[in-house]
Amino acid sequence: MPVKVSVIVPVYNPGTYIEDCIASLQRQSLPPEEYEVVFVDDGSTDATPARLDALAAEDPRMRVIHQENSGWSGKPRNVGIAAARGEYVMFVDNDDYLGDEALERMYDYGVANGADVVVGKMAGKGRPVPVELFRRNHPRATLANAPLIDSLTPHKMVRREFLDRIGLRFPEGRRRLEDHVFVTEAYLRAENISVLSDYVCYYHVRRDDASNAGFQRFDPVGYFANLREALDVVEKYTEPGALRDRLFRRWLRNEMVERLRGKRLLALPDDYRRELFREIHQVVVERFGPGVAAALQPTQQVVAALTAADRYEDVVAFAEWEAAIAPRTTPTAVTWRDGTLRIEFTAEYASAGQPMTFPADAGATPLDGPPKDVAEAIAWVGAQTAARFPAATADLLLRERASAAQHFQPVEFTREAVPAGEDGQVRLTLRATATVDPGTLPGTGVWDAVARIKLGGWTKECRLGPVPPAGRPEPVAGVVAGREVLPYWTAPHRNLSLDHAASTRRLGLSGADLSVTGDRFRARLPLYVPGETAVLLRLASAGRTLDVPATLAPTPDPARSGLTAVLPAAVPAGGVWRTAVCLAPDAARPRFHALPQSLRGTGDAVRVGPGPRPGPALRLARGARRLLGAVAAKAAARIRKVRT
């Protein structure tokens, strides 16, 4: 059977980080005979060569090529392309890994759409990845209709025949940005590009030791010489005009202006950032016309203008002002409705912990040359932010804590200019309501709520919170789509998260109210259900356990539900019966949650009494857990203090 996909993995001294990569490649849902993996060992000096040889000996899908060290990833990838037998080639780095269905989904999507390049959704574990590109699927994406230029890493699936037909290979040797040169030309020359956004295909991992090549400090002279090569590709395959300016803007924004902003710039030693500034200044003056910077956000326009004017000190001063700016979000309600969780919040920007204010009657004006000083720059940014407020947006993403996969949630929002003082200033506030359908979340686990705020010159993300305990919304757990879902506030940071399948936390059923009439058991639980739901009531007494079918149903109060069951004859016959409920009997790992009261059979009736007190061992264990949690929280606080 023909090979559909050849996965090419350049390898150099990954140590144990390669194990997750290998495991993900062996788990692929594509049939084993339909894909191969070509590891190209670029002269590793650790135990990796022997590990790969042993792997290839036991797994026929795996092949290994050994070569002398070439200094970077370009040559190993090219060697892999030459050895590949697949219709498509997929590039994976040795410290990253794939989603289990990545190859199958990307291949099928590429074939269905006749794609030369397939871009799969990415999740960043400790490192940034594109966000806007993956809002939705783009079966026929171009550089003009989708933000493809935001994704220039090599982690794509590319048709082998396309690469051979246009003669495209990676630049080789010890250098940077070889992926920018390769991917940019592929984008510009492909007949079709498809973006798959409804499944996380690629997990981009930052090593714990931060030894990934992309995190190493680079030589600015060599780096920006390599960057010019990517610009050369754009000039070769585009005409002067809006598209070229738009593509150039990506490098001006991401590789230059963003390196000279806020905390990112201030964290660098002065001598290094001066060298960095000098090289960026030269590229800006050499290669970018006025149309490139004109469409940047206001803050970016200021940095670009000051850089072009060679005003290093003003760039640093502007960075010091920007470093104090951060989004602030306040959850105001977390409620259940129609099988969904509705999360209401407000968002605005703050500076040095205080809400930012802006002129109420500002109009949009172009930046006519560099500002005369930083005060004028800040005033212009404030006016443009207010003028652009009608375009401000708020999004809510749910980010899976274990994998960093993130998903946009439907959001409705309004914009409100709130008067602030008597000098004509206003606070620019967004009021948003996100609707979360737990049934659409893949898998189970903890999901963190993340707000993404676009306002004026800033696009920033932050956790939804913090919220002080006094007066904050206290959502109840829900049972939706056969799963337990627990919204909760994290400790000690007090941000909103969702435990999807409620696998690690108590549901807060201590407020349950139990009653028995004849053989009818009833309970009111602090729990939401959208409709009648089959559950199990567990009764336990003296080593005997009975699991009784029960029904959970909504009540007029969405924060309460009613549990009903018919008690078996053994209960009134006698004994004390502890009670618990399983809310998701069909889950892979169903859990029983203790109820606060017990039942006592008297021979002719059943009475409700207090639940059993925990024994000394259990009380000791709970106390130890609380103590360990407090110690861990204090240790984390000390670490944060040292880091800041």
Side-chain angles (χ1 to χ4, degrees):
M1 180 174 291
V3 175
K4 291 180 176 179
V5 182
S6 295
V7 182
I8 298 171
V9 186
V11 177
Y12 180 71
N13 286 355
T16 59
Y17 290 97
I18 200 171
E19 296 303 328
D20 286 342
C21 179
I22 292 171
S24 78
L25 294 170
Q26 293 183 313
R27 288 195 305 265
Q28 289 302 298
S29 61
L30 199 65
E33 67 275 11
E34 294 183 1
Y35 76 99
E36 65 175 358
V37 181
V38 182
F39 293 97
V40 183
D41 175 44
D42 197 40
S44 292
T45 58
D46 62 3
T48 304
R51 169 71 175 102
L52 294 178
D53 288 340
L55 176 69
E58 66 186 26
D59 190 334
R61 296 169 295 181
M62 309 292 162
R63 299 163 56 197
V64 184
I65 299 172
H66 298 283
Q67 66 179 32
E68 293 185 2
N69 182 256
S70 66
W72 208 249
S73 300
K75 184 174 181 179
R77 293 193 187 109
N78 290 341
V79 169
I81 294 171
R85 298 175 297 198
E87 179 184 351
Y88 281 86
V89 293
M90 174 76 193
F91 300 104
V92 176
D93 284 348
N94 62 194
D95 37 25
D96 298 333
Y97 61 92
L98 298 178
D100 292 355
E101 302 173 20
L103 297 184
E104 182 177 16
R105 286 178 178 250
M106 292 177 73
Y107 175 83
D108 289 347
Y109 195 63
V111 170
N113 294 293
D116 289 325
V117 181
V118 184
V119 185
K121 182 173 182 176
M122 303 179 71
K125 300 196 71 173
R127 61 190 305 166
V129 296
V131 175
E132 297 297 332
L133 177 61
F134 300 119
R135 276 185 179 269
R136 62 177 181 84
N137 286 346
H138 297 266
R140 300 196 66 82
T142 69
L143 287 166
N145 69 17
L148 284 167
I149 200 66
D150 290 345
S151 179
L152 292 181
T153 63
H155 314 118
K156 317 285 189 282
M157 187 177 286
V158 187
R159 191 187 299 273
R160 169 66 188 277
E161 182 275 333
F162 164 70
L163 293 178
D164 291 343
R165 172 163 44 85
I166 69 173
L168 180 58
R169 295 295 188 269
F170 288 89
E172 297 183 1
R174 185 173 293 279
R175 51 164 296 127
R176 302 298 287 257
L177 302 181
E178 82 293 338
D179 47 355
H180 287 206
V181 176
F182 178 92
V183 174
T184 301
E185 184 169 347
Y187 283 163
L188 287 166
R189 301 185 70 183
E191 293 184 9
N192 185 42
I193 303 164
S194 296
V195 180
L196 178 64
S197 301
D198 56 9
Y199 179 79
V200 179
C201 299
Y202 196 93
Y203 292 87
H204 205 18
V205 179
R206 179 174 183 170
R207 295 186 187 184
D208 295 336
D209 59 3
S211 62
N212 310 72
F215 287 98
Q216 305 309 303
R217 186 174 295 174
F218 56 79
D219 166 39
V221 174
Y223 188 89
F224 289 103
N226 295 152
L227 184 146
R228 288 177 174 90
E229 296 176 40
L231 303 181
D232 292 341
V233 172
V234 174
E235 288 186 344
K236 182 176 180 180
Y237 294 104
T238 65
E239 297 295 329
L243 177 59
R244 180 182 290 182
D245 285 348
R246 177 181 173 182
L247 300 182
F248 275 2
R249 195 172 299 127
R250 186 268 175 214
W251 283 278
L252 175 60
R253 180 185 65 242
N254 290 35
E255 305 298 332
M256 301 180 198
V257 167
E258 289 301 312
R259 296 184 186 278
L260 300 177
R261 288 182 68 186
K263 295 178 181 178
R264 186 173 180 181
L265 176 67
L266 301 178
L268 300 173
D270 183 66
D271 57 344
Y272 181 76
R273 65 190 187 202
R274 284 181 183 273
E275 183 182 7
L276 186 68
F277 177 84
R278 182 169 59 251
E279 292 301 319
I280 292 175
H281 164 72
Q282 290 179 1
V283 178
V284 170
V285 172
E286 285 176 17
R287 304 298 292 266
F288 300 140
V292 178
L296 291 173
Q297 296 297 327
T299 47
Q300 296 168 340
Q301 288 188 51
V302 166
V303 176
L306 294 175
T307 301
D310 202 16
R311 287 165 53 182
Y312 169 77
E313 299 297 342
D314 283 345
V315 167
V316 173
F318 191 76
E320 291 171 343
W321 172 71
E322 268 206 281
I325 296 172
R328 170 185 287 180
T329 59
T330 303
T332 55
V334 184
T335 56
W336 291 96
R337 183 187 302 176
D338 300 327
T340 63
L341 187 67
R342 295 171 62 87
I343 302 172
E344 300 176 29
F345 63 96
T346 62
E348 63 182 327
Y349 274 90
S351 179
Q354 297 300 314
M356 295 182 70
T357 61
F358 304 88
D361 55 355
T365 58
L367 184 62
D368 187 15
K372 68 179 181 182
D373 54 29
V374 173
E376 182 178 277
I378 292 172
W380 182 80
V381 167
Q384 301 319 296
T385 300
R388 295 180 182 215
F389 187 47
T393 61
D395 278 300
L396 184 79
L397 297 95
L398 290 183
R399 181 176 297 155
E400 189 179 21
R401 191 175 295 174
S403 70
Q406 53 191 17
H407 298 269
F408 283 97
Q409 304 303 302
V411 173
E412 296 179 352
F413 61 86
T414 58
R415 306 175 185 92
E416 183 177 351
V418 181
E422 300 178 356
D423 55 355
Q425 295 289 105
V426 293
R427 291 167 56 179
L428 303 179
T429 303
L430 294 161
R431 301 186 183 279
T433 301
T435 303
V436 178
D437 180 356
T440 65
L441 294 178
T444 60
V446 176
W447 295 77
D448 296 320
V450 178
R452 181 176 174 86
I453 310 303
K454 291 185 179 180
L455 173 59
W458 301 282
T459 299
K460 294 179 180 289
E461 295 180 355
C462 67
R463 290 287 303 277
L464 196 58
V467 182
R472 72 185 179 191
E474 292 296 347
V476 298
V479 182
V480 180
R483 289 177 178 165
E484 304 165 8
V485 182
L486 174 63
Y488 71 98
W489 304 104
T490 64
H493 302 294
R494 307 192 306 273
N495 296 318
L496 183 64
S497 293
L498 273 66
D499 192 340
H500 193 226
S503 57
T504 60
R505 290 168 181 81
R506 297 180 184 175
L507 293 187
L509 301 184
S510 59
D513 181 21
L514 279 58
S515 64
V516 176
T517 303
D519 63 352
R520 298 286 173 171
F521 172 91
R522 293 180 177 85
R524 285 176 57 84
L525 307 181
L527 193 70
Y528 169 81
V529 289
E532 286 196 359
T533 303
V535 299
L536 286 177
L537 174 67
R538 173 166 287 181
L539 305 170
S541 175
R544 187 179 181 189
T545 299
L546 303 174
D547 286 341
V548 181
T551 301
L552 197 60
T555 70
D557 180 359
R560 308 284 289 188
S561 61
L563 178 68
T564 59
V566 177
L567 295 176
V571 176
V576 176
W577 298 81
R578 300 186 302 277
T579 58
V581 61
C582 178
L583 302 171
D586 295 330
R589 303 177 70 177
R591 288 202 309 160
F592 280 86
H593 304 274
L595 298 177
Q597 296 163 295
S598 62
L599 306 181
R600 181 182 296 275
T602 62
D604 57 357
V606 178
R607 303 182 187 279
V608 177
R613 285 177 50 81
L618 182 57
R619 292 198 299 271
L620 182 61
R622 290 176 178 175
R625 283 199 299 269
R626 286 193 295 268
L627 178 61
L628 289 173
V631 171
K634 290 180 180 179
R638 286 196 296 271
I639 292 172
R640 290 193 302 273
K641 185 175 181 180
V642 169
R643 288 177 175 173
T644 56

